[in-house]
Amino acid sequence: MNYDIKDIKLATSGLNRIEWAERQMPVVTKIRERFRREKPLRNKRIAACLHITSETANLARTLSAGGASVFLCASNPLSTQDDVTASLVRDFRIPVFAIRGVNRQKYYQHIKSALSCGASGAINSPHITIDDGADLVTMVHSERREMVKTIIAGMEETTTGVIRLRAMERDNALLYPMFAVNDAQCKYLFDNRYGTGQSTMDGILRATNILYAGKIIVVCGYGWCGRGFAMRAKGLGARVVITEVNPLRALEAVMDGFEVMPMRKSLKLGDVFCTLTGNTSVIRKEHFLLMKNGAIVANSGHFNVEIDIPALEKLSKKIKKNIRTNVDEYILKNGKSIFLLGEGRLVNLACAEGHPATVMDMSFATQALTAEYAINNVGSLEPKVYPVPTEIEDWIAKLKLATMGIKIDTLTEKQQKYLSSWCEGT
Ligand code: ADE
């Protein structure tokens, strides 16, 4: 088996983590049991470019139990859990191409290896691609177009990736069918909001150990991730400021009880700045110059472009790396210090362990069932961005509730009739 990981000797620690996560992933476990019996993914090759965490390992095990050959690579150079990769190789015989902290060249080499399904000579093509940030899709479209013949469909896990896919669809550039897993309600309402909310908090805390109570936290972006983080920061007693460009979201933030103001005005106030926008250059040169001495800056958006790090470097007379684990101090020429967390990469994965397994259970259940759906519907799919079928979402929500021991009501016949009628008045 061809693979590239840090150290196979880390496998036992990785296995413990995978099994720990599994305890919080009852929906994925249920799917795995059925997949093991029915083998709906038999003889299919799946290339997946995801954050390689203990939760992802449980997804990979599930796809593999369904009969697929799974090939994994990382969707971020700093999110890989090296003990998990070791266990995937040793205990589950799943080839992984990912090492935490690799350089750009190695990062893309790993993506190529997973996309080629681990083949060392002739390139093998996957039937399904699973992305968190569209790296596989981008590589297929730019360098490996011949693979499109074999690929049935792809799935996209994150907002940033879906934005790219929609741009490709608009420009008639999309060459194979894609499912916007991120846009499923059972994904973004939980993973983006509660997952990012808590894990972003966790990343900043683990890196800095600051007290949130009384701090002014500037949250850049009030999408689902920003909403989740703002809510959790407020819960710990921080004074939360929101910056937005979208008037509806800004209004929502105001009515949720937050201070809303332009970035420029927030600079003199903020103790911590966190970007969660999916856009580029949100915190840039003119902003760094006006921040308070000692301001902490972090990013929780997919790519490391939200904070203009090259500009920060240029403004600095000295950079002290790792003054704490995952904290770099930039001493500006104006004498102030700015602390950057996790090299500006996803702070929840670079400085902590990513979203807790309880929410990844729903996100990855969606991935697994959508892969099965794509295989069962191969003849009817076109190169478009598809939503996740509602039956899949309903099934996951019902099962998740059941695993939590929560029962809900059902409509009476009279209520069903009332809802489907347009003649009933007062
Ligand atoms: N994205 C955010 N958190 C994650 C996790 N724990 N595993 C995989 N992908 C993630």
Side-chain angles (χ1 to χ4, degrees):
M1 185 169 82
N2 200 4
Y3 60 87
D4 191 17
I5 59 169
K6 171 110 178 187
D7 183 359
I8 198 81
K9 291 198 286 302
L10 301 172
T12 301
S13 147
L15 182 59
N16 286 337
R17 271 164 89 151
I18 293 169
E19 289 176 347
W20 179 259
E22 184 185 7
R23 288 169 181 272
Q24 309 291 331
M25 301 180 80
V27 180
V28 165
T29 303
K30 194 100 193 152
I31 295 170
R32 181 156 66 246
E33 285 159 7
R34 177 172 68 77
F35 274 17
R36 195 168 284 130
R37 289 191 307 274
E38 297 177 6
K39 300 273 180 261
L41 316 178
R42 192 193 308 275
N43 296 334
K44 295 292 182 286
R45 288 183 296 273
I46 300 184
C49 180
L50 296 166
H51 302 295
I52 313 285
T53 63
S54 50
E55 293 76 26
T56 300
N58 281 298
L59 170 64
R61 289 172 65 193
T62 303
L63 300 171
S64 168
S69 302
V70 182
F71 302 87
L72 288 178
C73 61
S75 57
N76 185 300
L78 276 192
S79 62
T80 301
Q81 297 170 357
D82 289 317
D83 54 355
V84 168
T85 62
S87 174
L88 277 164
V89 169
R90 185 192 74 179
D91 305 314
F92 301 103
R93 311 298 300 156
I94 293 175
V96 185
F97 303 88
I99 299 174
R100 185 184 155 98
V102 288
N103 62 21
R104 195 182 159 77
Q105 189 202 353
K106 191 84 177 163
Y107 176 77
Y108 282 105
Q109 202 177 312
H110 282 157
I111 292 181
K112 279 187 185 145
S113 299
L115 192 57
S116 312
C117 300
S120 41
I123 290 169
N124 240 341
S125 185
H127 298 100
I128 297 277
T129 61
I130 303 181
D131 262 312
D132 187 330
D135 277 336
L136 291 176
V137 170
T138 305
M139 191 164 285
V140 169
H141 283 72
S142 56
E143 295 177 31
R144 297 276 163 89
R145 283 182 165 239
E146 73 285 358
M147 288 188 170
V148 169
K149 288 199 289 291
T150 326
I151 300 177
I152 293 170
M155 276 107 233
E156 174 51 58
E157 170 78 8
T158 200
T159 316
T160 302
V162 170
I163 290 171
R164 291 205 166 174
L165 295 177
R166 293 205 192 285
M168 290 168 85
E169 184 184 39
R170 184 199 60 215
D171 293 347
N172 287 325
L174 193 60
L175 297 176
Y176 65 90
M178 290 297 309
F179 286 88
V181 168
N182 176 74
D183 294 3
Q185 292 189 68
C186 67
K187 198 277 182 183
Y188 72 82
L189 288 179
F190 306 95
D191 173 312
N192 299 28
R193 181 167 39 173
Y194 300 108
T196 309
Q198 181 172 312
S199 61
T200 300
M201 172 75 80
D202 187 16
I204 296 173
L205 285 183
R206 288 198 208 191
T208 62
N209 197 27
I210 55 163
L211 182 75
Y212 267 61
K215 293 275 185 310
I216 299 187
I217 312 261
V218 180
V219 180
C220 309
Y222 203 64
W224 288 107
C225 296
R227 287 176 180 112
F229 177 54
M231 173 172 57
R232 292 297 175 240
K234 184 176 174 181
L236 272 189
R239 297 152 67 194
V240 179
V241 169
I242 307 290
T243 68
E244 244 306 335
V245 290
N246 177 314
L248 272 175
R249 286 186 177 172
L251 196 54
E252 193 183 350
V254 174
M255 298 215 183
D256 285 345
F258 296 111
E259 285 279 322
V260 177
M261 60 182 74
M263 189 74 200
R264 205 177 168 78
K265 197 168 165 210
S266 76
L267 298 168
K268 289 200 167 62
L269 304 173
D271 299 300
V272 177
F273 294 81
C274 185
T275 52
L276 309 96
T277 71
N279 210 332
T280 188
S281 306
V282 178
I283 301 184
R284 45 188 188 265
K285 181 178 170 191
E286 62 266 33
H287 299 142
F288 296 124
L289 286 169
L290 292 175
M291 282 179 185
K292 291 199 286 200
N293 185 20
I296 293 167
V297 178
N299 165 51
S300 205
H302 183 77
F303 286 116
N304 63 338
V305 295
E306 306 210 7
I307 301 167
D308 188 348
I309 299 169
L312 183 57
E313 282 166 359
K314 272 200 206 117
L315 290 174
S316 301
K317 59 179 177 205
K318 189 163 181 196
I319 302 169
K320 291 196 200 161
K321 290 274 178 195
N322 275 311
I323 55 143
R324 287 171 58 90
T325 308
N326 291 318
V327 183
D328 296 335
E329 180 178 6
Y330 288 76
I331 305 170
L332 306 196
K333 290 172 196 151
N334 67 12
K336 294 186 204 169
S337 281
I338 289 179
F339 297 103
L340 178 68
L341 308 190
E343 298 174 16
R345 297 198 182 272
L346 280 161
V347 69
N348 59 342
L349 282 143
C351 305
E353 293 170 73
H355 303 352
T358 302
V359 287
M360 294 317 293
D361 190 28
M362 298 177 73
S363 310
F364 284 164
T366 315
Q367 289 284 7
L369 294 182
T370 307
E372 179 186 31
Y373 176 89
I375 289 167
N376 290 341
N377 290 275
V378 54
S380 60
L381 299 174
E382 290 166 32
K384 292 202 298 209
V385 180
Y386 287 94
V388 169
T390 42
E391 312 87 79
I392 291 183
E393 294 222 52
D394 289 346
W395 185 86
I396 291 172
K398 267 192 203 141
L399 185 60
K400 188 75 179 172
L401 278 173
T403 64
M404 296 164 93
I406 295 169
K407 295 197 169 67
I408 57 170
D409 293 319
T410 47
L411 293 172
T412 63
E413 228 172 89
K414 186 176 171 192
Q415 287 172 324
Q416 278 182 26
K417 195 163 155 240
Y418 181 84
L419 288 180
S420 59
S421 156
W422 52 272
C423 321
E424 308 223 14
T426 43

